[in-house]
Amino acid sequence: MKVLVTGSNGFIGKHMCALLTKKGHEVLPYDISSTEEQLIDYVKQCDFVVHLAGINRPMKVEEFYDGNSFFTKKLVDLLIKNKKFTPLIISSSIQAALDNDYGKSKKMAEDFLFNSGLPVYVYRLANVFGKWCRPNYNSAAATFCYNIAHDLPIEIRDRNYVVHYNYVTDIVEEFLRVIELKDHPGSKEINYVNPTYDCSLGRLADLLNYFKNEIESDRHLPLIHDDFELKLFKTFCDYLSDEGYKFNYAADQRGSFEELYKSKKYGQISENISFPDITKGGHYHTYKKEIFYTVIGNCAIKQRNIKNNDLIENVVTGENPNPINIIPYYTHSIKNIGKTNSHTIMWISEIYDDRTPDTFKEDL
């Protein structure tokens, strides 16, 4: 499917384009540097539109309406002029319910779409957090992550002020779900991305400081108590990653493995996602230390001493977290014994280097 993504170089846009490409769709990227001719050409080609372009920090109030309202009408007019009754998703904002210029410009864009006759899906997003979000712009979460990661001060006017959050991966996965529906009738209702998380500015700062302190401690991994903390931790790790390393991601029929953070001083943190009944591992290290910490799901972690065959078995669950130390010279594996995907945060004492992997295959 050919998907036109407006705002393709923005925070959500980058995630959307990456996910679409990974899933085999062709992305038609449109951003502020694109030309009018490109937009017209993409409108003629596209099978679906994900409209993410907009203005939230203008120099003048009028730019709210130019970038949010009137550009949306322009996009609608181009689709209709070219007889393209293409389904369209728009990222609106929960501020569309408020009486400010940003909110009013978003509400106007929603109304243009609802009155267009096109099959549209309007999503009002909360404050969006996740990796690649620009700090010191319009996201307290991104600013706090960056400043705390770099030992810079943060300013909190009201520690009790509660912010509503959506995680960027949840957003693009919801949009992809809609894109890949067999039929696209559209919706006259306002849609929301679930889950939405509520977090006070004080708790946000406390969590990020805790993550930083734990990474720098002998424990290296913080205790994660819920889904929001896991997503925030993954986000925070992205702002620590300023050493020029390449971060790898791999997915197959067993699940996925993503590197989150690398440091010559503190080692490497990764996230392993396993599908139900999947076993990974079957190797040992001679000197590297590891910690496995299952934060979602249920896993069985086995370790066998390659010298005397002593066996250590641990059953771990995200509901009752228990970090497991992986011992050198013990071949080890982790199996998802639950009915849903398991998420395990893994710390290893040094960055993986394929020239000195210290990883030796041996089944349990």
Side-chain angles (χ1 to χ4, degrees), residues 122-191:
V122 174
Y123 280 85
R124 287 186 180 175
L125 305 182
N127 293 271
V128 185
F129 75 102
K131 66 179 182 179
W132 307 342
C133 188
R134 177 180 169 186
N136 301 303
Y137 183 57
N138 67 342
S139 168
T143 301
F144 284 14
C145 282
Y146 180 86
N147 285 18
I148 290 171
H150 294 84
D151 298 313
L152 298 173
I154 60 172
E155 180 181 350
I156 305 177
R157 295 181 181 177
D158 182 357
R159 282 184 56 87
N160 296 318
Y161 183 79
V162 174
V163 180
H164 311 296
Y165 287 106
N166 284 134
Y167 184 51
V168 66
T169 301
D170 294 334
I171 293 169
V172 297
E173 288 180 350
E174 168 63 11
F175 290 178
L176 179 70
R177 182 193 67 80
V178 174
I179 291 168
E180 294 186 337
L181 291 172
K182 291 183 179 179
D183 299 307
H184 295 104
S187 172
K188 290 296 183 182
E189 303 294 325
I190 299 294
N191 296 284

Side-chain angles (χ1 to χ4, degrees), residues 71 79 86 151 155 179 215 236 247 256 269 281 314 328:
F71 179 74
L79 287 165
T86 308
D151 298 313
E155 180 181 350
I179 291 168
I215 288 172
F236 180 67
F247 291 81
S256 64
I269 298 173
N314 298 98

Side-chain angles (χ1 to χ4, degrees), residues 270-287:
S270 306
E271 181 187 29
N272 175 69
I273 298 177
S274 292
F275 299 145
D277 204 36
I278 290 296
T279 301
K280 294 184 180 181
H283 59 257
Y284 67 91
H285 311 293
T286 64
Y287 64 88

Side-chain angles (χ1 to χ4, degrees), residues 15-27:
H15 285 268
M16 191 77 252
C17 293
L19 181 60
L20 287 167
T21 301
K22 186 166 66 176
K23 294 297 183 178
H25 299 285
E26 181 179 346
V27 175

Side-chain angles (χ1 to χ4, degrees), residues 283-286 288 348 352 356-361:
H283 59 257
Y284 67 91
H285 311 293
T286 64
K288 289 181 181 178
I348 191 164
Y352 181 80
T356 56
D358 187 41
T359 300
F360 301 92
K361 180 71 175 176

Side-chain angles (χ1 to χ4, degrees), residues 33 46 56-57 70 87 92 122 167 182 222 265 285 333 351:
S33 60
C46 69
N56 54 22
R57 289 287 292 270
F70 303 134
S92 187
V122 174
Y167 184 51
K182 291 183 179 179
K265 183 175 181 181
H285 311 293
S333 68
I351 299 171

Side-chain angles (χ1 to χ4, degrees), residues 287-343:
Y287 64 88
K288 289 181 181 178
K289 299 178 182 179
E290 286 185 294
I291 298 172
F292 289 2
Y293 180 35
T294 296
V295 294
I296 295 176
N298 302 285
C299 291
I301 299 172
K302 293 184 178 181
Q303 301 184 71
R304 178 179 60 80
N305 190 318
I306 65 170
K307 297 178 181 180
N308 58 22
N309 291 323
D310 283 350
L311 189 64
I312 302 172
E313 297 186 54
N314 298 98
V315 174
V316 293
T317 173
E319 295 180 356
N320 186 23
N322 182 25
I324 303 299
N325 287 294
I326 305 300
I327 307 169
Y329 286 104
Y330 276 70
T331 186
H332 50 275
S333 68
I334 180 169
K335 180 178 181 179
N336 181 352
I337 59 174
K339 296 182 179 179
T340 59
N341 294 351
S342 63
H343 295 241

